[in-house]
Amino acid sequence: MSLDYVKFTPGFDKWMPKEYRDMVEHGPFGKKTTVSQVGSFKEILEEHPMCAGCAMTLFIRLAIIAFPNPEDTITVGTAGCGRLAISQAAIPFVYGNYGDQNGVASGLSRGLRLRFGDRPKDVVVLAGDGGMADIGFAQTLHSWFRKEKFTTIMLDNEVYGNTGGQESGMTNKGQVLKMAPLGKKFEKMDMLGMAKIAGCAYVATVVPNNPRRVESVIKKAVLIAREVGPTYIQAYTSCNIEYAIPTDKVLEDCKEVEDDRYKFTEYLTDEAKETLSGLYGYKEYLPKPVPAITKN
Amino acid sequence: MYLVANISVDICAATSCKLCTQFCPEANTILYNDEAGKEKGLRYGSAYVSVDRCKGCAQCVWVCDNMAKHNAIKMEMIDLIGDQALTENIHYGEKSTTATLANPFPG
Ligand SMILES: Cc1ncc(C[n+]2csc(CCOP(=O)(O)OP(=O)(O)O)c2C)c(N)n1
Ligand code: SF4
Ligand code: SF4
Ligand code: SF4
């Protein structure tokens, strides 16, 4: 993996599909592209079979645009809707067994550090709430307790979307779903609190109706994971199928949920702040100057 | 037949908001042509939809109507829409793209 990773074999460029040629010539590899430039460069996410208007799709699209070094990034995922899109991007995608993603990512990021110690390789897990907080719960928490240096992103649609509407630990109490007809009996799990207790260096919540904010949290999480330790982003990515949200109301729902229970929160350890403050563009994390003591 | 998004160059090129593409769930679908509309004296260039990638969710319509407040996007039947941008006819430049329009639904 390197900047050379997507290039033409000499003499073959004219035989490659148009999408591939556009990506090599006008894609974001080796450049600093931002969300505000979308529509003018070729994105590395391709067509995929996720549902029309799915907020998870929008979030994945924005997250991939926001990776600080897409040419040096590997995504890890698992069963669930998100992998249908994540696997269709021009960066390597590793598919763990359902719930194994943080275990797979641990081995991967350690191996990459051994092999490419001198150059950053970013490992980013993107998985559903069921895969992360229920079936992969132990592996997720243990990777955090072990301080594995990679980013974990929960695509929280508050349901098992891919299998037709079972409740997950992240579903809200009382919620009725197709396969939870009596309503969920217990509270939504506090994964954010657990991430902090388990030692994550950066923890944030975000909704996809603020693309610049999605970009900002993804960049910070990946950069901090590179240097400091585990980072966790919990993104509200509604399932318009299981929650019966008309597709043209998905962003309205995002806003309502953001105001109600998914407000933007960001937590950084002191070490994470120090690391960010040393990077270009993150001067707001410099320690505040101590006010001079004035004698009365 | 099915609906796809259609952007009015006349309305879009009179502003420079570039909001809808940030909210379209599909990648490489709403693109910008900085030159569109200039022949009519409109300054800002226009967004356009690569209709072969559009899934018809109408989120961009919501964004243009409610966030940008420009009402430039309408959902239209793909076989009645006339010549449109398609992925195979899009050319990427340094900072902008252009599309040679073609019938998205011949026959
Ligand atoms: C070990 C195992 N158990 C069960 C499944 C079936 N399965 C596939 S996707 C899925 C649910 C996914 O839900 P979630 O992780 O919340 O992701 P979403 O589809 O909602 O994005 C399940 C149970 C599986 N693939 N492997
Ligand atoms: S089932 Fe739900 S989460 Fe899955 S792709 Fe469809 S809308 Fe998105
Ligand atoms: S939101 Fe509307 S006015 Fe703004 S760029 Fe898109 S189509 Fe044009
Ligand atoms: S209708 Fe949906 S998929 Fe089509 S351009 Fe608009 S936001 Fe994108």
Side-chain angles (χ1 to χ4, degrees), chain A residues 24-296:
Chain A
V24 175
E25 288 160 2
H26 302 285
F29 294 109
K31 298 178 196 148
K32 295 270 177 261
T33 39
T34 64
V35 165
S36 53
Q37 293 165 324
V38 286
S40 58
F41 66 89
K42 167 78 180 161
E43 293 170 49
I44 55 183
L45 180 61
E46 259 305 329
E47 289 179 288
H48 56 72
M50 285 181 76
C51 299
C54 174
M56 192 186 292
T57 313
L58 172 58
F59 178 83
I60 290 168
R61 174 178 174 234
L62 296 170
I64 291 179
I65 294 167
F67 287 159
N69 295 82
E71 64 282 353
D72 281 321
T73 305
I74 297 180
T75 53
V76 181
T78 191
C81 290
R83 49 79 199 246
L84 298 169
I86 305 158
S87 57
Q88 304 307 310
I91 48 179
F93 169 72
V94 180
Y95 185 71
N97 260 335
Y98 196 47
D100 281 359
Q101 60 279 355
N102 277 44
V104 171
S106 299
L108 189 61
S109 82
R110 288 191 201 185
L112 289 166
R113 268 164 216 279
L114 285 175
R115 170 67 182 78
F116 300 101
D118 53 335
R119 294 185 58 159
K121 304 286 167 190
D122 301 317
V123 174
V124 180
V125 172
L126 292 125
D129 46 307
M132 201 168 276
D134 296 349
I135 303 186
F137 182 66
Q139 301 213 18
T140 306
L141 272 255
H142 272 267
S143 74
W144 292 343
F145 277 113
R146 290 194 308 268
K147 306 281 190 291
E148 303 286 352
K149 289 180 170 172
F150 62 85
T151 300
T152 304
I153 302 175
M154 180 192 286
L155 306 166
D156 183 14
N157 58 4
E158 306 184 322
V159 65
Y160 285 63
N162 206 197
T163 42
Q166 297 81 5
E167 69 177 46
S168 86
M170 299 301 284
T171 303
N172 290 289
K173 187 174 177 184
Q175 181 68 48
V176 172
L177 293 162
K178 270 190 219 140
M179 297 201 211
L182 301 178
K184 192 185 168 201
K185 298 272 187 286
F186 61 97
E187 300 287 343
K188 183 177 176 96
M189 288 165 68
D190 181 12
M191 286 294 280
L192 299 159
M194 283 184 268
K196 290 172 200 166
I197 289 171
C200 284
Y202 178 83
V203 181
T205 41
V206 73
V207 297
N209 65 355
N210 191 334
R212 304 263 177 104
R213 186 175 280 159
V214 173
E215 177 172 40
S216 157
V217 298
I218 297 278
K219 281 205 187 340
K220 286 181 217 166
V222 173
L223 293 170
I224 293 171
R226 213 182 260 177
E227 305 287 335
V228 185
T231 57
Y232 175 57
I233 297 171
Q234 192 175 299
Y236 174 68
T237 57
S238 66
C239 174
N240 49 287
I241 299 291
E242 295 306 332
Y243 279 80
I245 308 165
T247 55
D248 62 348
K249 297 278 183 284
V250 162
L251 292 171
E252 219 170 288
D253 167 78
C254 278
K255 181 81 193 102
E256 277 163 25
V257 172
E258 181 182 27
D259 292 344
D260 174 38
R261 61 175 188 278
Y262 241 96
K263 293 192 181 53
F264 171 61
T265 58
E266 197 177 44
Y267 156 93
L268 297 91
T269 60
D270 288 342
E271 200 187 348
K273 281 185 199 160
E274 205 181 307
T275 301
L276 271 192
S277 65
L279 298 173
Y280 176 78
Y282 292 102
K283 298 293 172 256
E284 73 263 35
Y285 293 105
L286 282 170
K288 302 273 174 294
V290 185
I293 301 163
T294 47
K295 284 191 186 149
N296 290 327

Side-chain angles (χ1 to χ4, degrees), chain A residues 18-19 22 26 35-36 38-43 45-54 57-58 61-62 208-209 211-212 247-248 250-252, chain B residues 18 21-32 52-53 55-59 62-63 66-67 87-97:
Chain A
K18 179 181 185 321
E19 285 86 345
D22 285 342
H26 302 285
V35 165
S36 53
V38 286
S40 58
F41 66 89
K42 167 78 180 161
E43 293 170 49
L45 180 61
E46 259 305 329
E47 289 179 288
H48 56 72
M50 285 181 76
C51 299
C54 174
T57 313
L58 172 58
R61 174 178 174 234
L62 296 170
N209 65 355
R212 304 263 177 104
T247 55
D248 62 348
V250 162
L251 292 171
E252 219 170 288
Chain B
K18 299 198 169 182
T21 189
Q22 296 182 30
F23 292 89
C24 170
E26 301 302 317
N28 302 302
T29 303
I30 304 185
L31 300 161
Y32 285 98
D52 53 328
R53 289 175 183 264
K55 287 183 181 168
C57 68
Q59 256 173 47
W62 190 87
V63 168
N66 295 284
M67 293 174 80
T87 299
E88 62 188 17
N89 300 326
I90 287 166
H91 318 285
Y92 286 83
E94 274 312 300
K95 292 209 169 101
S96 173
T97 72

Side-chain angles (χ1 to χ4, degrees), chain B residues 36-50:
Chain B
K38 293 227 163 126
E39 73 286 356
K40 296 182 193 168
L42 301 167
R43 287 168 55 196
Y44 296 110
S46 177
Y48 64 93
V49 177
S50 184

